Amino acid sequence: MGDEHQTVADELPLESVGAQLRREREGKGLSLPQVSAETRIPERHLILIEAGHFSDLPARTYAIGFSRTYARMLGLDEVAVADQVRAELSEADADRHYAPAGMEPGDPAKLPSRGLAWAGGIAAILLIAGMAAFYSTYYGSGAGPASLIDRSSPQVAENEAGEGAEETTAPAAASTDGQVILTALEDMWVRIYDEQYDAGGEPLFEGTLASGDTFELPRNVAGPRINTGRPDALAITIDGQSVPKLADEPITLGDAQISAAALLARADQPSQSATPDS
């Protein structure tokens, strides 16, 4: 009997990662600001982790990397914590993509009656006819009086040309915290990472970008960097505006900064030849 109770207990769901971390933190008498100062993880991210809202973090790698750092600081098994975060993320993704079944075909109880269907069709026809009459009345050809302004006048033409010029405005300048998007012009290998990578975190992306593939850099990544041997084959935009490539020839770049601020500062500097990573 005791063995049966033990088996049932083992099958019960484990405590969530966020609840474990919060219980351990409170047991050690630590506040969130103290943990944030120790781990360099923003307090708002710690709140999301303890609540289990991993999908609200900038990226999947942030959820795993921050949770590992948090667990290591509290003296917990960081590998086990990271594995459980991955499991919770997978479960959340499955729930988010599940769509309940709609009306089952052939179920008479869920089909509208024949009378209701006819009434709906007649109402739709009347609505379309009313809209057609309205547009014919107010927007039809010759519905309004002719303009009293002689548009052939040189003065009128000059004024209209000036108004058109004023309406044409230059596109807004890219912001230093704007959206950075990287686009591969050829098949190329890249590693994109941030400050957490040096502390044992996972890269934001590591692998091959096929020609035409894009990578959208999360806006609030701290110190984003890139490693690649084909910086000449990587087009970069900030808020949809192109900025210069990291290099004009195939060279190995390591730890190249790719934040919007760093890319814009680099674009403002005189053109310099990039040097290979030593």
Side-chain angles (χ1 to χ4, degrees):
M1 193 68 177
D3 293 340
E4 182 179 351
H5 285 303
Q6 182 64 33
T7 301
V8 173
D10 291 341
E11 292 176 354
L12 290 175
L14 296 174
E15 185 180 20
S16 68
V17 170
Q20 293 178 48
L21 295 172
R22 179 177 180 179
R23 174 171 50 78
E24 189 69 20
R25 172 180 63 80
E26 292 177 345
K28 293 180 180 295
L30 297 173
S31 66
L32 285 175
Q34 289 175 310
V35 175
S36 178
E38 179 71 20
T39 62
R40 297 177 61 191
I41 300 175
E43 187 175 342
R44 65 182 183 279
H45 290 167
L46 293 174
I47 294 174
L48 292 174
I49 290 172
E50 289 191 350
H53 298 165
F54 298 116
S55 60
D56 292 335
L57 291 167
R60 178 187 179 92
T61 52
Y62 270 68
I64 299 172
F66 284 168
S67 298
R68 289 185 61 169
T69 302
Y70 194 177
R72 183 166 57 247
M73 182 261 180
L74 295 175
L76 298 176
D77 186 344
E78 60 182 276
V79 176
V81 167
D83 289 341
Q84 191 172 347
V85 171
R86 292 187 183 94
E88 291 185 19
L89 283 169
S90 298
E91 183 178 353
D93 289 342
D95 292 341
R96 186 164 55 250
H97 290 96
Y98 170 75
M103 184 178 68
E104 298 178 2
D107 186 353
K110 296 181 180 180
L111 293 174
S113 65
R114 178 173 299 180
L116 182 61
W118 274 104
I122 294 173
I125 294 173
L126 292 176
L127 178 61
I128 294 173
M131 292 177 62
F134 174 81
Y135 279 99
S136 174
T137 301
Y138 288 94
Y139 298 101
S141 175
S147 173
L148 300 178
I149 301 176
D150 182 6
R151 296 191 176 276
S152 63
S153 168
Q155 183 62 37
V156 172
E158 181 180 350
N159 292 339
E160 291 183 345
E163 291 174 359
E166 291 177 359
E167 293 175 356
T168 304
T169 57
S175 170
T176 54
D177 60 349
Q179 179 63 68
V180 176
I181 296 180
L182 311 176
T183 302
L185 304 179
E186 300 177 20
D187 293 354
M188 57 184 300
W189 179 91
V190 296
R191 179 192 293 125
I192 302 170
Y193 53 98
D194 63 356
E195 294 177 352
Q196 291 296 319
Y197 181 74
D198 296 334
E202 297 184 1
L204 300 175
F205 177 87
E206 183 174 11
T208 300
L209 287 176
S211 178
D213 283 355
T214 63
F215 178 83
E216 186 172 320
L217 189 68
R219 287 181 180 271
N220 53 350
V221 170
R225 299 171 184 274
I226 189 172
N227 286 356
T228 184
R230 292 300 312 275
D232 59 313
L234 193 64
I236 307 174
T237 62
I238 302 176
D239 291 337
Q241 299 187 35
S242 298
V243 297
K245 298 178 181 179
L246 296 173
D248 294 325
E249 56 186 354
I251 60 174
T252 300
L253 285 185
D255 292 333
Q257 299 185 20
I258 54 172
S259 67
L263 292 170
L264 290 174
R266 179 180 174 277
D268 292 337
Q269 295 175 354
S271 178
Q272 297 178 355
S273 299
T275 56
D277 185 31
S278 56

